[in-house]
Amino acid sequence: MTTELSDLRYIAVEGVIGVGKTSLAKRLADTLSARILLEEFEENPFLADFYKDKRAYAFQAQMFFLLSRYKQQEVVVQYDLFQQQLVADYMFNKDRIFAMQTLDEKEMSLYNMLAMILEKRIVKPDLAIYLQATTDRLMSNIAERGRSYELDMSRDYIDALNIQYDDYFRIYDDTPLLIINTDNLDFVKNDNHFQKIIAEIANHRTGRKRVNIDI
């Protein structure tokens, strides 16, 4: 099965907080013997304060994310994708989704000025995977993993973010896109679920496809 994925040199997994994008990216990387590129969100010194007071710390947190993600993406620019496949648990462009959710008009204008410059050097993935879930499922996942800085997240914030993600990927056409509903999936503990995702990836190379995996 993995030989059917060998042409995908760079795969990016995306989704709202708590949907399981890092877990899926790690399993994919392990299956493909690929290099893993993980978002360094825990290194953001403004993150905990942001979840407590979004208005006061939104700009600082967002600018840190933008620049740190760009620094990580420089690795992709320099990386030899023909030597080893790469799987990431985020897409650089998704930073704009959070920015639109948290920044005011003036902050967003400044953010856009910088982001548009940085985006010119970003390598696009061969396949983007958007993991989709209901807000109820996301809130359940967030509570289950129990990260201290996520406990202050409100349902309204996650719900608004979920809508922003859906809106973004509804018109996304930069790369082939696979949209997978995860409400009834457990691709960490259930190998059958994971293998069905692998099969969907193996069969998708152009355009967009929305998948509800039959379990």
Side-chain angles (χ1 to χ4, degrees):
M1 178 66 73
T2 56
T3 57
E4 298 175 22
L5 277 62
S6 60
D7 62 313
L8 296 173
R9 308 312 303 171
Y10 176 19
I11 301 172
V13 183
E14 257 301 348
V16 183
I17 299 165
V19 78
K21 53 186 175 292
T22 300
S23 297
L24 180 58
K26 286 180 176 179
R27 285 211 68 176
L28 284 174
D30 183 61
T31 299
L32 300 173
S33 297
R35 178 171 177 174
I36 185 76
L37 181 66
L38 302 177
E39 185 176 17
E40 297 174 344
F41 58 89
E42 292 184 341
E43 295 184 8
N44 191 327
F46 304 103
L47 191 58
D49 290 329
F50 166 74
Y51 286 133
K52 294 177 181 177
D53 189 344
K54 294 181 177 62
R55 182 61 261 150
Y57 292 95
F59 188 71
Q60 298 96 314
Q62 203 61 55
M63 293 306 291
F64 184 93
F65 273 135
L66 178 66
L67 295 174
S68 65
R69 286 165 180 158
Y70 177 74
K71 184 178 179 181
Q72 275 194 302
Q73 287 294 312
E74 286 187 313
V75 174
V76 182
V77 173
Q78 301 166 8
Y79 188 63
D80 185 357
L81 294 173
F82 291 98
Q83 183 177 8
Q84 186 183 22
Q85 290 170 280
L86 179 67
V87 180
D89 72 342
Y90 74 99
M91 295 166 58
F92 181 80
N93 289 3
K94 78 91 169 277
D95 194 78
R96 192 180 298 276
I97 301 174
F98 284 87
M100 292 173 63
Q101 183 68 28
T102 60
L103 302 184
D104 63 29
E105 185 176 350
K106 291 182 179 179
E107 292 169 342
M108 192 67 201
S109 178
L110 182 58
Y111 172 92
N112 279 330
M113 289 174 62
L114 180 57
M116 289 174 65
I117 295 172
L118 300 181
E119 286 170 354
K120 293 178 181 179
R121 282 179 49 83
I122 300 303
V123 177
K124 295 179 181 179
D126 297 310
L127 175 68
I129 302 172
Y130 172 40
L131 300 181
Q132 197 174 44
T134 62
T135 300
D136 286 342
R137 176 64 187 269
L138 294 171
M139 294 303 296
S140 175
N141 290 350
I142 291 169
E144 183 177 346
R145 67 188 186 186
R147 294 174 179 169
S148 59
Y149 56 84
E150 291 180 347
L151 298 180
D152 293 317
M153 289 184 184
S154 69
R155 191 185 190 283
D156 287 344
Y157 173 70
I158 296 298
D159 191 50
L161 201 57
N162 209 9
I163 293 171
Q164 288 277 13
Y165 265 84
D166 280 344
D167 288 345
Y168 177 80
F169 282 105
R170 188 175 293 115
I171 61 174
Y172 176 88
D173 60 1
D174 287 348
T175 69
L177 173 66
L178 189 61
I179 303 172
I180 302 176
N181 184 286
T182 65
D183 279 337
N184 298 313
L185 298 181
D186 186 349
F187 43 77
V188 175
K189 298 177 182 178
N190 190 317
D191 191 61
N192 183 48
H193 293 182
F194 177 69
Q195 292 303 325
K196 288 186 175 183
I197 291 176
I198 290 289
E200 292 292 344
I201 295 173
N203 291 319
H204 186 67
R205 290 296 181 275
T206 60
R208 66 171 54 235
K209 182 180 180 182
R210 186 179 298 273
V211 177
N212 286 299
I213 294 176
D214 183 11
I215 59 173

